[in-house]
Amino acid sequence: MTERRIIIITGGGSGIGRACAREFAQKDEQVVILGRSAEKLQRCAQEEGYDIAWKQADVSQREQVERVINEIVREYGRIDVLVNAAGFVLGATTDMPLAEAEANWDAVQETNLKGSFLMTVAAAPHMPRPGGRIIYISSIAAFTGGSRAGSTAYAAAKAGVLGLTYGFARELSERGITVNAIAPGFIANTEFTCNWTDEKIQGIIAQTPVGRGGSAKDIAASVSYLASPSSSFVTGEVLNVNGGWLFGR
Ligand code: NAD
């Protein structure tokens, strides 16, 4: 019997992270989901019905990241795969008072960019070499600036995540750990997109060659590939999973 891999998924209590948790748990991997709300994580683990462990941690807080990684290593001995899916968007525009724009900028960078950085630095020393896998969830916004005005802080953070991908791939791949990113297009029915208007969604779908919005499962399938032994020669890459919304540009 092969040993179960230990898979950490930040933002694993909903949306894309939750779909990733299901994908790995169905394959009998040991999944640990992280998030800020214990109640949400517990509900997710119960509803999924697989052996999914959860731990409360805000990835933007170094002490919480350190604590949770120490707990996981104590309980499971190592970390095989890190999926950085925690993230959110807040608007920041030139019409805002500067202090408000700054507050939104800071919050967005702290989770989307710094959180991914902290998790990587804390987890990488505990990964098998070769065999470790780090996967970031960036966004199509890194290339387009977002689907509407005001997404600048988010677009910058998600572009920064590509910098993490390249930088950590250079540092860690020679030690047998691959580092890649996925840049999703529109993914329906997550907490992130569930309040988007029908008009906005139809506008995006009209620009999407495959003619539909993505599902969290579409992203989980790509994460699963990048986490698998089959992808051992893929590192420092960005996989666009967007139904063709971006190609050719
Ligand atoms: P989601 O809101 O359902 O999932 C994000 C999760 O991250 C939530 O459970 C949230 O509570 C958690 N989270 C937020 N801040 C956190 C923090 N500081 N510490 C720990 N957990 C935190 O939305 P989703 O669409 O599944 O988003 C997952 C990732 O995909 C995000 O990084 C998002 O930016 C990215 N993304 C989403 C889309 C889309 O269309 N849904 C497109 C491109 C990229």
Side-chain angles (χ1 to χ4, degrees), residues 44-148:
C44 167
Q46 270 166 5
E47 286 173 4
E48 287 298 327
Y50 298 101
D51 178 20
I52 294 175
W54 60 271
K55 291 195 179 288
Q56 187 176 16
D58 180 334
V59 297
S60 70
Q61 303 300 312
R62 178 176 51 76
E63 299 80 0
Q64 296 188 35
V65 168
E66 263 176 342
R67 177 202 28 91
V68 85
I69 294 292
N70 285 339
E71 280 177 24
I72 290 168
V73 171
R74 214 178 306 122
E75 284 170 42
Y76 301 103
R78 60 175 205 287
I79 295 161
D80 294 284
V81 178
L82 168 64
V83 181
N84 294 284
F88 59 81
V89 66
L90 287 175
T93 67
T94 55
D95 303 329
M96 277 181 170
L98 185 57
E100 191 185 333
E102 182 191 32
N104 287 359
W105 167 272
D106 285 348
V108 167
Q109 308 309 319
E110 279 165 16
T111 285
N112 290 280
L113 184 54
K114 183 181 167 187
S116 295
F117 174 80
L118 292 175
M119 285 298 301
T120 304
V121 175
H126 307 288
M127 290 190 151
R129 303 162 181 227
R133 295 277 185 273
I134 297 170
I135 298 153
Y136 299 106
I137 306 298
S138 175
S139 170
I140 192 171
F143 305 103
T144 63
S147 56
R148 64 180 163 192

Side-chain angles (χ1 to χ4, degrees), residues 144-201:
T144 63
S147 56
R148 64 180 163 192
S151 304
T152 304
Y154 179 73
K158 292 304 193 183
V161 165
L162 302 185
L164 293 186
T165 308
Y166 306 139
F168 281 128
R170 200 160 292 290
E171 178 185 338
L172 296 172
S173 298
E174 65 184 25
R175 307 186 210 172
I177 298 171
T178 68
V179 185
N180 293 287
I182 292 172
F186 165 62
I187 305 302
N189 299 320
T190 72
E191 287 186 1
F192 190 93
T193 55
C194 63
N195 293 326
W196 289 14
T197 65
D198 208 38
E199 191 189 357
K200 179 179 162 89
I201 292 171

